[in-house]
Amino acid sequence: MRQRNLSRVLHALAAEGPLSRAEVAARIGLTRAAVSTLVDELSRGGLLVERGPGRSGAVGRPGTGLLLTDRGPCGFGAEIGVDHLAVAVMDLRGRVRIRLGQETRNQGAEPAAVLATLTGMLRDAARDAAGAGLRPTGLTVAVPGLLARDAGSGRSRLLMAPNLGWRDIDLAAGLPTGLGPVTVENEANLGALAELWSAGGAGVQDSFVHVSAEIGIGAAVVVEGRLLRGAHGFAGELGHVPVRPEGRPCSCGGRGCLETYAGEEAVLRAAGLEPGPGVRLGALAARCEAGDAGALRAVRQAGTALGIALSGAVNLLDPRQVVVGGALARLAPWLLAPVSRELARRTSVAAGGRSTPVPVRASPLGPDGPLLGAAGFTVRAALDEPSRLLRG
Amino acid sequence: MRQRNLSRVLHALAAEGPLSRAEVAARIGLTRAAVSTLVDELSRGGLLVERGPGRSGAVGRPGTGLLLTDRGPCGFGAEIGVDHLAVAVMDLRGRVRIRLGQETRNQGAEPAAVLATLTGMLRDAARDAAGAGLRPTGLTVAVPGLLARDAGSGRSRLLMAPNLGWRDIDLAAGLPTGLGPVTVENEANLGALAELWSAGGAGVQDSFVHVSAEIGIGAAVVVEGRLLRGAHGFAGELGHVPVRPEGRPCSCGGRGCLETYAGEEAVLRAAGLEPGPGVRLGALAARCEAGDAGALRAVRQAGTALGIALSGAVNLLDPRQVVVGGALARLAPWLLAPVSRELARRTSVAAGGRSTPVPVRASPLGPDGPLLGAAGFTVRAALDEPSRLLRG
């Protein structure tokens, strides 16, 4: 119970710090005396700092406020993309302190070689982190694939990542052991969690469908602030929702899957571009900005297909909003109108007679979502276990 | 806390009674002494009965066991269908003790006239219940429509029931006040809850998509034993998932909605039958049994459309199973094969490389689901509030 209360103090300060002791007590529903004892323990452990009068930036606040430390424990996040690798180190306040990125060709590459490159980047980041007075509490890795919990090791195993061409790999086994526990997680899930956390997770922003894309199309469903993972952890495969049931054959064995109309390869080809390293959705966005008619038409068609698939999702799930994230967010200026048009046509019943359909917006995080989600996942796991932080 | 523990004892006995005090303690994680005090209070309030040695049916059990009473508090359920009304009275053990049904034409009828007929049936049932030593603790009404919580009265208001032709009605206001609190709930949701409760709600049966149909097609999503209601309470509109995006116009304003291919009217017409009172899915099932080629083809086509829509749902939600309930369950012998075929073709990614797709089965409750769900909803609400039962 005490560990749980320590954790609640840490999460309250992470979400809204600086806060006075009285404000923390009000947030978590404990007495001021109880909070003071918890705060003292966390302060002695070096997890909190106190801001004196005149140093707080917020107007109208009491002069002193508690903040999580920006030294000491930190969370590592990494992303294995189709043609890039990235690493971020986040402090307990949620600020990215170190960030490394590298263009690489991971599609079809040997997993061991990719993991070796990533290991090098992680070691560089760990050295920089140590220089900044930060020590790692764990690592979360975002991958574009399906994962399953391995009963033996308790670790997540990559079952398949079609767009990398990888199958059945224990990625954690190929990564450094010195950073703390390693978690491997689907990138669409992490992108959605980053969106949830950055929005504060309250009110209209706690129930949404989040669509993201790199080569494939992924999605994640957040219901009342919780990620809907599915019975086997495979929920969110929006890319394989049929939009033209007898349409184009898909690599999954189905026909007319959304991915064959709105996936990167399909959209680039429709716009007359040959997909490959350096020619991704960003290149298409540039053509749209330049007013290229073929590119605009291709994105419009993709938006229509995406809107059809999302209409199904909205009819089933009744979310408060649809968020377009990942690389797709770059295409938002041209993509959102056809998506919204299909939703308006096809979800009037699920809208319960309201005149406006579910709002669709682009994520401000864009392609950074999965990496920020990965680092944030590590940080939040650390805040869940104060005993580990206090021991460290 | 005490109320919560009393409630947990009641729910444990409802789910698994007869149980000994020790078994109850093990189920809910309290000491035997604590459970004995709780049991004494519930027994004094007349909510429990003790079975002596020799009266327990189960082999190998201790001779005495606690059971919920089958007298005293009971739950009323009612169903407003397109051409029938039904009432059920359920005791705390979950057994239906009284059941009344009546064929009526509710489609396009004045709501006040329908509610007057239903009120008469409820009064009859209440008289019979009193004769059996049962007293009502509330009423839940299943309707094929969308509901919204009315901020003023706190009651659920029927926003629209397209297949009844009703809009914006406070149904509870037209029903008798003497049965306890009245709850109005979507029939697809209640059908799914009945399925969850009858299956025990454990293991593979706690996460599923439940499809039901009377005229429209409804669905409900259960995730880890909880109904997914959606942000506005409108989740589960499988009938308006697009399956042929530029196909048949639907009354909702969309095109190619599942309902236009697999809804009752569409399937009956495809089989050469004119839908109307007495000519519903049951009539179609009779033709299928007789080997009528047109009927079999119509059901196969409907199953294909249903399988396409469900493929989208399975890709998004990753349920443990799909359950076909309501009137659709009658068509299961001919419907499940095409549904499973589409799921096998279109959900291989969501199946995570498993060789078998999500299992599809017919609900054993069939068309009784919503009525049983309604009565069960009332009973469970009563078990949640032991103070109300003990006062009564």
Side-chain angles (χ1 to χ4, degrees):
Chain A
M1 183 61 91
R2 180 169 184 82
Q3 287 303 312
R4 204 175 116 68
N5 285 335
L6 288 169
S7 175
R8 291 169 71 207
V9 172
L10 293 174
H11 278 289
L13 292 173
E16 302 185 72
L19 294 173
S20 68
R21 281 166 175 78
E23 287 169 326
V24 171
R27 294 292 186 288
I28 66 177
L30 291 178
T31 64
R32 233 190 109 158
V35 166
S36 277
T37 323
L38 297 168
V39 161
D40 288 348
E41 181 172 350
L42 295 170
S43 292
R44 276 196 310 274
L47 299 181
L48 304 188
V49 293
E50 202 139 352
R51 271 200 177 164
R55 291 188 57 200
S56 166
V59 176
R61 272 188 189 286
T64 64
L66 298 164
L67 268 178
L68 296 183
T69 177
D70 60 356
R71 296 177 62 85
C74 66
F76 275 59
E79 185 184 12
I80 302 177
V82 170
D83 40 34
H84 75 280
L85 293 172
V87 170
V89 179
M90 189 180 274
D91 64 27
L92 293 187
R93 293 181 192 169
R95 274 193 6 224
V96 172
R97 301 283 295 276
I98 295 157
R99 188 172 168 152
L100 304 174
Q102 193 168 319
E103 302 290 307
T104 53
R105 299 198 181 187
N106 303 328
Q107 201 172 15
E110 266 304 311
V114 173
L115 293 177
T117 307
L118 183 59
T119 296
M121 293 169 69
L122 287 165
R123 293 214 168 107
D124 290 347
R127 202 178 44 241
D128 293 353
L134 295 165
R135 60 184 159 80
T137 62
L139 164 66
T140 304
V141 184
V143 289
L146 295 181
L147 296 142
R149 182 82 46 190
D150 188 294
S153 66
R155 289 199 297 240
S156 282
R157 193 171 179 83
L158 179 69
L159 285 183
M160 57 177 184
N163 296 316
L164 290 170
W166 295 0
R167 281 190 91 89
D168 203 24
I169 301 167
D170 180 358
L171 290 176
L175 289 167
T177 54
L179 300 173
V182 180
T183 305
V184 184
E185 179 54 280
N186 175 272
E187 51 127 27
N189 285 349
L190 290 171
L193 289 174
E195 186 64 30
L196 175 70
W197 296 331
S198 78
V204 299
Q205 294 174 326
D206 72 349
S207 291
F208 57 86
V209 175
H210 186 266
V211 193
S212 56
E214 196 178 59
I215 289 192
I217 287 187
V221 179
V222 173
V223 178
E224 292 170 17
R226 282 186 58 202
L227 187 65
L228 192 150
R229 291 183 174 272
H232 313 91
F234 306 154
E237 285 297 332
L238 189 76
H240 298 284
V241 167
V243 295
R244 312 258 177 220
E246 299 313 326
R248 296 181 190 159
C250 178
S251 60
C252 78
R255 272 188 174 274
C257 297
L258 173 62
E259 206 156 290
T260 66
Y261 295 93
E264 185 188 74
E265 189 174 311
V267 191
L268 289 174
R269 286 195 205 284
L273 291 163
E274 185 60 32
V279 188
R280 300 291 184 199
L281 293 180
L284 187 58
R287 289 219 181 178
C288 287
E289 259 158 35
D292 180 302
L296 290 168
R297 191 174 52 244
V299 173
R300 201 162 51 238
Q301 287 166 350
T304 299
L306 182 58
I308 291 167
L310 283 170
S311 294
V314 168
N315 274 302
L316 276 169
L317 299 167
D318 180 22
R320 287 201 193 279
Q321 53 179 347
V322 171
V323 184
V324 174
L328 275 185
R330 291 183 180 150
L331 297 175
W334 310 281
L335 197 69
L336 296 200
V339 167
S340 298
R341 195 181 313 125
E342 294 302 316
L343 286 170
R345 283 178 76 186
R346 300 181 188 279
T347 63
S348 68
V349 172
R354 283 169 293 137
S355 55
T356 48
V358 60
V360 184
R361 66 177 179 81
S363 164
L365 305 178
D368 287 349
L371 181 63
L372 294 176
F377 193 92
T378 313
V379 168
R380 294 176 83 94
L383 298 180
D384 286 343
E385 284 190 80
S387 61
R388 197 153 60 88
L389 291 179
L390 290 165
R391 254 202 330 269
Chain B
M1 185 59 94
R2 181 166 184 81
Q3 288 303 312
R4 204 176 117 68
N5 285 335
L6 288 168
S7 175
R8 291 169 70 205
V9 172
L10 293 173
H11 278 289
L13 292 172
E16 301 184 74
L19 295 173
S20 69
R21 282 167 175 76
E23 287 169 324
V24 171
R27 295 293 186 286
I28 66 177
L30 291 177
T31 65
R32 229 188 115 161
V35 165
S36 278
T37 323
L38 296 168
V39 162
D40 288 346
E41 181 171 350
L42 296 170
S43 295
R44 275 197 310 276
L47 299 181
L48 303 187
V49 293
E50 203 138 350
R51 274 202 175 160
R55 295 187 55 199
S56 165
V59 175
R61 272 188 192 282
T64 62
L66 297 164
L67 268 180
L68 295 185
T69 178
D70 60 356
R71 296 177 63 84
C74 67
F76 276 59
E79 184 183 13
I80 302 177
V82 169
D83 42 32
H84 75 279
L85 293 172
V87 170
V89 179
M90 189 179 273
D91 64 24
L92 294 187
R93 292 182 193 168
R95 272 192 8 225
V96 172
R97 300 284 294 277
I98 295 158
R99 186 171 170 154
L100 304 173
Q102 195 170 317
E103 301 290 307
T104 55
R105 299 199 182 185
N106 302 329
Q107 201 171 17
E110 266 303 309
V114 174
L115 294 177
T117 308
L118 184 59
T119 295
M121 294 170 68
L122 287 165
R123 293 215 169 105
D124 290 347
R127 204 179 41 240
D128 295 352
L134 295 165
R135 59 183 159 81
T137 62
L139 164 66
T140 304
V141 184
V143 288
L146 295 181
L147 296 141
R149 183 79 50 190
D150 188 293
S153 67
R155 290 201 295 244
S156 282
R157 195 173 179 81
L158 179 69
L159 285 185
M160 57 178 186
N163 296 318
L164 291 169
W166 296 359
R167 281 190 90 88
D168 202 24
I169 302 168
D170 181 357
L171 291 175
L175 290 167
T177 53
L179 301 174
V182 181
T183 306
V184 185
E185 180 53 280
N186 176 272
E187 51 128 27
N189 284 349
L190 290 171
L193 288 174
E195 185 65 31
L196 175 70
W197 295 331
S198 78
V204 299
Q205 294 173 328
D206 73 346
S207 292
F208 57 87
V209 174
H210 185 266
V211 194
S212 56
E214 197 181 57
I215 289 194
I217 288 186
V221 179
V222 173
V223 178
E224 291 169 21
R226 281 186 60 201
L227 186 64
L228 191 149
R229 291 184 174 272
H232 313 91
F234 306 152
E237 287 294 333
L238 189 75
H240 298 285
V241 167
V243 295
R244 311 260 178 219
E246 299 311 325
R248 296 181 191 160
C250 178
S251 60
C252 78
R255 271 187 174 275
C257 297
L258 172 63
E259 206 155 291
T260 67
Y261 295 93
E264 184 187 74
E265 190 176 312
V267 191
L268 289 175
R269 287 194 203 283
L273 291 163
E274 184 62 28
V279 188
R280 300 292 183 200
L281 293 180
L284 188 59
R287 291 219 178 176
C288 287
E289 259 157 35
D292 180 302
L296 291 167
R297 190 174 52 242
V299 173
R300 200 162 53 237
Q301 286 166 351
T304 299
L306 183 57
I308 291 168
L310 283 170
S311 294
V314 168
N315 274 302
L316 275 168
L317 298 167
D318 180 24
R320 286 201 195 276
Q321 52 179 345
V322 170
V323 184
V324 174
L328 276 184
R330 291 185 181 148
L331 297 175
W334 311 281
L335 197 68
L336 297 199
V339 167
S340 298
R341 194 179 316 124
E342 294 301 317
L343 286 170
R345 283 177 76 187
R346 299 179 188 281
T347 63
S348 67
V349 172
R354 284 170 290 138
S355 55
T356 48
V358 60
V360 183
R361 66 179 178 83
S363 165
L365 305 177
D368 287 349
L371 181 63
L372 295 175
F377 193 91
T378 312
V379 169
R380 295 177 82 95
L383 299 179
D384 285 342
E385 285 190 79
S387 60
R388 198 153 61 87
L389 291 177
L390 290 167
R391 251 200 335 267

